Amino acid sequence: MGGFPATNHVRECPYCHVRSQFELIREGNSQHCLADIQTRIDPSDEKSAVQGNVVGMFRCVLCGGPLFARAYGPNRETLEVYPYKVPTMPKEIPDKLKKIFLEALLCFEIKAWNATATMCRRTVQEAVLDKGGTGKDLFNQIENLAAKNLITSDLKEWAHDVRLIGKDGAHADVPTDA
């Protein structure tokens, strides 16, 4: 089985958000990328069907954004593309906050749930500090914004929910004595 065709990969670019062509930069059988491999669909069953896997690096011809793709299945008919989509954000959001929130979204995209929770918490804290929240920790900083009437009670409750979920994502489960 062959790998990717060298040209004519057309899809929406996750960076410039325009339907564009992607050119193949490197393919999986290159020494610089993962190998073109054959794997069993069910690794525990030696009689299970074999599927081919090939990976490749691509570049958007419009913006130059990189894309990683993996084709697999018995005939390499299934295609996974990373990143799926890189979100755009309003210009009014401070750059530091955009960067942190983008990291949270990328963690979500790859199903890194603890990292997503932690980065969402960090995004909330950065937003709270940007709005002038003060205090020794995020709890007090949120309360400070609410006391100044800079956030609604619903937003305060939501921020505390994200704070607690992020705390769970950042810290190990500690077993309790029975």
Side-chain angles (χ1 to χ4, degrees):
M1 281 188 246
F4 292 104
T7 59
N8 204 21
H9 299 278
V10 178
R11 64 182 319 108
E12 182 179 323
C13 177
Y15 302 97
C16 64
H17 306 283
V18 174
R19 192 158 173 78
S20 174
Q21 182 170 335
F22 283 80
E23 64 180 338
L24 183 63
I25 300 169
R26 293 227 188 265
E27 192 171 345
N29 53 12
S30 163
Q31 64 184 6
H32 302 290
C33 292
L34 297 174
D36 180 4
I37 57 172
Q38 300 288 316
T39 59
R40 296 215 174 271
I41 292 174
D42 180 358
S44 65
D45 180 1
E46 288 190 28
K47 295 179 183 176
S48 155
V50 172
Q51 69 178 3
N53 292 275
V54 65
V55 297
M57 291 294 301
F58 295 83
R59 175 179 33 236
C60 174
V61 298
L62 295 177
C63 73
L67 192 93
F68 176 80
R70 177 173 82 103
Y72 63 94
N75 298 309
R76 294 189 178 125
E77 68 280 354
T78 305
L79 184 68
E80 290 179 352
V81 177
Y82 303 98
Y84 174 70
K85 191 165 194 137
V86 177
T88 57
M89 290 181 232
K91 293 180 229 173
E92 298 79 20
I93 297 175
D95 287 340
K96 186 174 183 182
L97 188 56
K98 282 182 198 177
K99 183 178 177 185
I100 295 167
F101 186 55
L102 177 61
E103 188 173 337
L105 293 174
L106 292 173
C107 290
F108 180 81
E109 183 177 319
I110 63 167
K111 299 177 180 158
W113 308 126
N114 288 327
T116 300
T118 303
M119 290 309 300
C120 285
R121 181 193 185 284
R122 184 167 172 197
T123 302
V124 166
Q125 187 161 29
E126 188 64 40
V128 166
L129 293 173
D130 183 67
K131 291 298 175 192
T134 58
K136 66 178 179 145
D137 56 23
L138 183 53
F139 175 86
N140 288 305
Q141 293 160 1
I142 294 168
E143 291 295 318
N144 178 258
L145 280 187
K148 294 178 190 176
N149 291 318
L150 293 174
I151 58 174
T152 65
S153 60
D154 286 344
L155 192 52
K156 173 183 142 180
E157 183 180 327
W158 173 85
H160 280 305
D161 287 345
V162 173
R163 175 183 65 82
L164 292 171
I165 292 167
K167 188 175 180 181
D168 286 344
H171 297 284
D173 294 330
V174 179
T176 56
D177 294 333

